Amino acid sequence: MVSKTPEHPAQIEIPDEISGLRMTRQRQEVYRILQQERNHPTANDVFMRVKERLPHISLATVYNCLEALVQHGVIRQVNFERESSRYCPNLSEHGHFHDATTGVIHDVDFKPGINLADVLNLPPGAVIDDVEITLRGKLVSI
Amino acid sequence: MVSKTPEHPAQIEIPDEISGLRMTRQRQEVYRILQQERNHPTANDVFMRVKERLPHISLATVYNCLEALVQHGVIRQVNFERESSRYCPNLSEHGHFHDATTGVIHDVDFKPGINLADVLNLPPGAVIDDVEITLRGKLVSI
DNA sequence: AATGATAATTGGAATAGTTCTTGATATCGG
DNA sequence: CCGATATCAAGAACTATTCCAATTATCATT
């Protein structure tokens, strides 16, 4: 993870290799957009956005890039019901709250010191590789 | 919820109305299969199974029935990654552990007294309507 | 039991998101 | 520079699901 400050998206420096994955121009741009757009874009969102910089890129390539990045643990794929997958560069273990009113997806962190095994009755011998926590609801003014 | 003992599936009695939903023959059979097959079948699994009793039922009807049952809170729809939806008659709040080795899905209950708000840093004002917790991993012998 | 109104079912067509295929292009190690 | 390998592009193909229009079943009322 080599991103600099997310406040200055234009300055994001992306190395030519991340966790063993060759960072081609296409993968760089896809990754850059995920760093900038923190609103969990779909593959198609990324596609439309990346075309500004790489007008000849194809949707299939965007899918390929996203898959390669997911596979190498550089980004995460997030699924809501059966909607299109969304992608997220936040690698810390976290869940997602989907505001039904606005459609906005908020990252939701665990409170410090919380361990899944303390909360769930896991089947004996279960070794967890991946956790997905998704909440749906509304944000009401308080 | 009017089911009798799940240990004797053949004896499940299904009333002709559940939470305001007219229980047609098709819906009854779909619901009965979910009661019997506790292994989180897909719509297609249900379809193949229900055809044994209703040979003329269509896949669209199975989808309609499942949707109606979900809509009326009689069953729950469960999604894994982008795989086909699965359906589950366990209405208690619970998560799912997907064993990557066998493909089996286990229900995972919360430990007693656990409240989501104690565990997660929810955005202020968030009112949760629905929670989905899915774990992927392996079951190792202990 | 017949009637009209409403809801459910069917089968097939349509859709959306994603993956696959094939040939072209770029990149790497030597 | 050269061959081997990886990646890309464009479009076709695939899959799960939804939609559509026509038929059939059910309900409430008479």
Side-chain angles (χ1 to χ4, degrees):
Chain A
M1 200 76 340
V2 198
S3 70
K4 295 162 81 179
T5 152
E7 306 328 298
H8 290 269
Q11 300 181 3
I12 291 174
E13 271 298 312
I14 294 169
D16 34 319
E17 193 172 313
I18 298 186
S19 12
L21 179 67
R22 199 163 92 200
M23 286 305 267
T24 63
R25 186 75 208 288
Q26 287 85 343
R27 288 174 185 163
Q28 281 175 25
E29 294 299 340
V30 165
Y31 183 53
R32 183 195 308 273
I33 281 160
L34 288 176
Q35 294 279 355
Q36 288 172 8
E37 304 233 1
R38 292 311 192 103
N39 46 355
H40 304 84
T42 65
N44 201 56
D45 293 339
V46 173
F47 178 50
M48 293 191 306
R49 200 82 164 53
V50 81
K51 269 195 293 193
E52 295 167 12
R53 280 172 161 255
L54 302 176
H56 297 302
I57 198 170
S58 76
L59 180 55
T61 297
V62 172
Y63 273 105
N64 286 341
C65 292
L66 290 169
E67 192 195 345
L69 291 165
V70 168
Q71 230 62 167
H72 284 72
V74 183
I75 62 174
R76 293 187 47 177
Q77 181 171 8
V78 181
N79 295 293
F80 266 101
E81 323 266 313
R82 303 221 84 248
E83 293 170 16
S84 357
S85 290
R86 297 170 174 278
Y87 299 87
C88 151
N90 177 354
L91 292 176
S92 72
E93 196 162 290
H94 69 283
H96 294 100
F97 170 73
H98 191 223
D99 182 355
T101 317
T102 63
V104 174
I105 293 167
H106 304 257
D107 283 1
V108 175
D109 291 315
F110 285 92
K111 294 205 170 176
I114 294 293
N115 196 329
L116 261 190
D118 304 336
V119 174
L120 298 173
N121 273 322
L122 297 177
V127 177
I128 308 298
D129 293 327
D130 188 57
V131 179
E132 195 159 328
I133 297 187
T134 52
L135 314 170
R136 195 154 27 77
K138 301 180 239 327
L139 274 189
V140 300
S141 43
I142 42 177
Chain B
M1 202 76 339
V2 197
S3 70
K4 295 162 80 179
T5 152
E7 307 325 301
H8 291 268
Q11 299 181 4
I12 291 174
E13 271 297 313
I14 293 169
D16 33 319
E17 193 173 313
I18 298 184
S19 14
L21 180 66
R22 198 163 93 199
M23 283 307 265
T24 62
R25 185 78 206 289
Q26 287 84 347
R27 287 174 185 165
Q28 281 174 26
E29 295 299 341
V30 166
Y31 184 53
R32 183 195 310 274
I33 282 161
L34 288 176
Q35 295 279 355
Q36 288 172 10
E37 304 232 2
R38 293 311 194 101
N39 46 358
H40 305 84
T42 65
N44 200 57
D45 293 340
V46 173
F47 178 49
M48 295 193 303
R49 201 81 164 53
V50 79
K51 269 196 292 194
E52 295 167 12
R53 281 172 161 254
L54 302 177
H56 298 301
I57 199 171
S58 77
L59 180 56
T61 298
V62 172
Y63 272 106
N64 287 341
C65 293
L66 289 168
E67 192 195 345
L69 291 165
V70 168
Q71 229 62 172
H72 284 71
V74 183
I75 62 174
R76 292 186 48 177
Q77 180 171 8
V78 181
N79 296 295
F80 266 101
E81 322 267 313
R82 303 219 87 245
E83 293 171 16
S84 354
S85 290
R86 297 171 174 277
Y87 298 86
C88 152
N90 178 353
L91 292 176
S92 72
E93 195 162 293
H94 67 283
H96 294 99
F97 170 72
H98 192 221
D99 182 355
T101 317
T102 64
V104 174
I105 293 167
H106 304 259
D107 283 0
V108 175
D109 292 315
F110 286 91
K111 295 207 169 173
I114 295 293
N115 195 330
L116 263 190
D118 303 337
V119 175
L120 298 173
N121 274 322
L122 297 176
V127 177
I128 308 297
D129 293 327
D130 188 58
V131 179
E132 196 159 328
I133 297 187
T134 52
L135 314 170
R136 196 155 25 78
K138 302 180 236 329
L139 273 188
V140 300
S141 44
I142 41 177

